[in-house]
Amino acid sequence: MKSYKLIYGCDEVKKIKFGRWILLLIIIAMIIIVFWKFGIRREKVLVVTNEIEMKDAYKSDYYLASTFFMMTDGKTVEKRTYSGKQMWKADRMQKNIVFGKEAYYEYNSKGIIEKHELDSGELTWSTDFDALVQYVKEDDGKLYIIIQKGQMSSIGLVVDSESGTPKFDKQFNEEQIVKMGSFGNKNYALTLRLGRENLYSNLYIMGANGEIEYQKSYEREILTKLEEIDRDGFLLYSDEYLRYMSENEEIWKYPIIEDTIDCTFDKNEMESVFIKKANGKNTSVEKVSLNEQIVTELGVEDELNELITLEDGLIYCGEKGLYFIDGMNQILRLYDFDSRVYKTEDNYSNVLLVFKDRLQLIKESYKWTGGDEYDD
C-alpha cells in the first residue's frame, strides 16, 4: 500500500496559522460578549478554611506561615498546623519574642539574643550584645538591632541572621533610631533628634558595609516608615507628609492630616492607601496614586482599624467585617464578624483572625457570579 505525504507551501502554512488565530480571537470575543450580556463576572471572596477553639486566644501574639502558625502567650512558644494540632511547644522564660520567616528570636533586657528554628524550635545561635536591646527585626536575610546608648544616643547593628555575627554597627550620637530595615541591596535608618527649640528626623541610606550614601534632615517632622517601590524608588512617611523619592530626589510630597489609623502601599494598584477617622462611626479611605498623584477619597460605613496586605491586593479590616475596594472604587463587604476581632495576621492569600476564645483561618478565593436574571 502506498502512503502519501501532504506538502504545503510556505504561503499555505501561513494562511492556516493566521486562520487559526482569527478563529481563536472570534471565540474569545464571543465568550466576552456572553459574559457581558449575562452579567457573569469573577468576584473576590473569603472562605473560612478552619476554626480553632482556644481559651483567651486574644492574649497571645501570632505569626502566620504558609502551612502553620506560631503563637506565644508570654510564657511559651508554640507551633501549630492550620487544623490546630500542636507540633511543638517550648518555654519562653519571660523573654521578648520576634518572629521571622524561618526562625524566631528571643532577647532579654541584658542584650542576649537567641535564634531558634521554626521547623523544630531548636537553638541555632546565641549572641551577647551586652546592652539594652530596644528593637529586633528580620528583613531580607539580615537582623536589624537597635541598642540604647545613653539618654538620646543609640547604636544600630546589622547582623547576619544565619550566624549571629554583626556585619557592621553604626552609632548615632544624640539621635534615637526609630526604625531600621533593608532597601534593595542597601540599608536604611530613621532617627529622631531633639534640638534646642525643635525636633528633627533624619533619613540615612547606607551601603552593604555601612557607609552612608545619603542623608537628609527633616525639621519638625517624625519619620515613621520607609517602603520600597523599585530599585531606585521608595515612599517615605512622616507624621506630616508622604514623600515619593526616586534616586534620593523628592518627586512629590502629599500632606497627611491627623487621625490616620493605618497606611501602606498597594503594589497591585500602585497607590498609597490611608484609613482615617471620620465623623461618627464611619472611616475615610484615602488613596494616593503613585504616578499621577490623583487622590481618591471614599467613605466606609464601619470603623476600619487595619489594612491587610494580601497577594492580590489590600483587604480592609473593620469592627463589622472585612472589605475589598476594587479598581472601580466599589466597596465590597467580603466577610461579616459575629464578634470582636482583636488582631489579624496575614500570609499571601491566608488571614488569621483572632477572636476572644477562638481563631479563624480565612483564605482568599474567587467565584463566578451573575446571569441569574436570565435563567428560565
Side-chain angles (χ1 to χ4, degrees):
M1 180 182 293
K2 292 183 178 180
S3 61
Y4 296 90
K5 188 175 183 180
L6 295 177
I7 301 176
Y8 295 97
C10 292
D11 292 340
E12 285 79 1
V13 172
K14 289 181 180 179
K15 288 179 180 178
I16 292 172
K17 289 183 177 180
F18 182 73
R20 288 176 179 174
W21 280 111
I22 292 294
L23 180 61
L24 180 61
L25 290 173
I26 292 173
I27 293 172
I28 293 173
M30 291 177 65
I31 292 173
I32 293 172
I33 292 171
V34 170
F35 274 44
W36 173 78
K37 180 179 179 181
F38 291 96
I40 300 171
R41 59 191 181 276
R42 188 170 179 252
E43 284 190 355
K44 185 192 293 283
V45 295
L46 295 175
V47 180
V48 178
T49 58
N50 219 325
E51 186 167 277
I52 304 165
E53 298 295 327
M54 186 182 300
K55 183 174 176 57
D56 293 333
Y58 74 107
K59 293 183 178 179
S60 295
D61 293 323
Y62 300 87
Y63 168 75
L64 187 64
S66 57
T67 58
F68 64 89
F69 66 90
M70 303 294 300
M71 58 178 290
T72 177
D73 61 358
K75 299 177 182 178
T76 60
V77 179
E78 293 184 50
K79 179 181 179 180
R80 296 198 180 200
T81 64
Y82 273 14
S83 63
K85 180 181 177 182
Q86 187 183 96
M87 303 176 73
W88 58 259
K89 183 178 181 179
D91 290 336
R92 184 174 183 255
M93 300 177 64
Q94 300 299 324
K95 295 179 181 178
N96 297 298
I97 290 289
V98 175
F99 290 112
K101 287 186 177 180
E102 298 179 355
Y104 74 91
Y105 303 88
E106 292 187 356
Y107 67 96
N108 58 22
S109 59
K110 296 179 181 180
I112 298 175
I113 300 180
E114 298 178 348
K115 178 183 177 181
H116 297 259
E117 296 293 336
L118 294 186
D119 185 43
S120 62
E122 293 183 359
L123 176 68
T124 302
W125 52 256
S126 177
T127 302
D128 187 354
F129 293 95
D130 191 27
L132 176 61
V133 176
Q134 290 186 316
Y135 173 94
V136 176
K137 174 188 176 183
E138 183 189 272
D139 190 6
D140 195 25
K142 290 173 282 190
L143 201 63
Y144 292 88
I145 302 170
I146 298 174
I147 292 177
Q148 183 69 34
K149 187 75 172 178
Q151 187 174 1
M152 268 306 293
S153 297
S154 56
I155 298 176
L157 293 95
V158 179
V159 175
D160 180 3
S161 63
E162 290 297 316
S163 64
T165 305
K167 290 177 174 289
F168 68 86
D169 63 79
K170 190 68 65 175
Q171 181 162 344
F172 296 88
N173 294 321
E174 298 183 0
E175 293 182 56
Q176 178 62 52
I177 306 172
V178 176
K179 195 166 291 186
M180 294 182 71
S182 65
F183 167 50
N185 59 354
K186 301 177 182 179
N187 310 279
Y188 73 86
L190 309 179
T191 71
L192 184 64
R193 176 169 63 89
L194 294 176
R196 292 183 177 179
E197 297 180 359
N198 297 317
L199 60 82
Y200 302 82
S201 280
N202 282 294
L203 165 65
Y204 294 91
I205 302 293
M206 298 169 285
N209 298 316
E211 65 277 14
I212 295 177
E213 298 182 355
Y214 175 80
Q215 183 271 332
K216 185 170 177 59
S217 180
Y218 297 89
E219 185 177 1
R220 298 181 182 178
E221 290 185 55
I222 300 175
L223 298 178
T224 57
K225 183 165 64 170
L226 184 149
E227 286 184 317
E228 181 183 357
I229 302 301
D230 52 38
R231 184 176 178 179
D232 300 312
F234 58 90
L235 293 175
L236 184 63
Y237 297 80
S238 77
D239 61 337
E240 297 286 339
Y241 293 99
L242 162 68
R243 291 178 170 86
Y244 175 33
M245 311 285 290
S246 182
E247 296 182 341
N248 297 331
E249 294 292 331
E250 185 178 299
I251 306 302
W252 51 255
K253 67 179 181 180
Y254 178 72
I256 298 176
I257 64 171
E258 296 180 356
D259 296 331
T260 296
I261 301 167
D262 197 7
C263 58
T264 194
F265 178 66
D266 187 347
K267 291 184 178 180
N268 293 278
E269 299 294 333
M270 291 298 287
E271 58 193 11
S272 197
V273 179
F274 300 83
I275 52 175
K276 302 181 177 184
K277 291 182 182 178
N279 296 327
K281 292 191 175 182
N282 296 341
T283 310
S284 171
V285 174
E286 197 169 271
K287 302 163 71 176
V288 184
S289 171
L290 180 65
N291 296 324
E292 297 87 5
Q293 201 189 347
I294 297 174
V295 180
T296 304
E297 294 186 10
L298 303 167
V300 178
E301 296 181 355
D302 195 356
E303 293 181 78
L304 301 182
N305 50 53
E306 188 180 2
L307 291 165
I308 300 173
T309 304
L310 297 180
E311 191 174 20
D312 292 334
L314 293 181
I315 299 293
Y316 299 73
C317 181
E319 295 291 323
K320 300 176 183 177
L322 297 175
Y323 304 83
F324 174 71
I325 300 178
D326 64 17
M328 301 297 292
N329 289 320
Q330 297 183 72
I331 302 169
L332 308 175
R333 191 159 168 174
L334 301 179
Y335 186 68
D336 293 329
F337 297 150
D338 56 8
S339 59
R340 178 184 172 185
V341 170
Y342 286 81
K343 59 188 76 174
T344 70
E345 288 292 328
D346 57 82
N347 182 276
Y348 295 105
S349 62
N350 298 301
V351 181
L352 178 70
L353 301 177
V354 182
F355 296 86
K356 186 177 186 297
D357 293 312
R358 62 190 168 97
L359 305 174
Q360 271 190 351
L361 282 153
I362 308 290
K363 186 173 180 62
E364 185 181 48
S365 186
Y366 292 89
K367 69 176 183 179
W368 294 100
T369 62
D372 294 342
E373 63 269 33
Y374 296 95
D375 293 340
D376 291 332

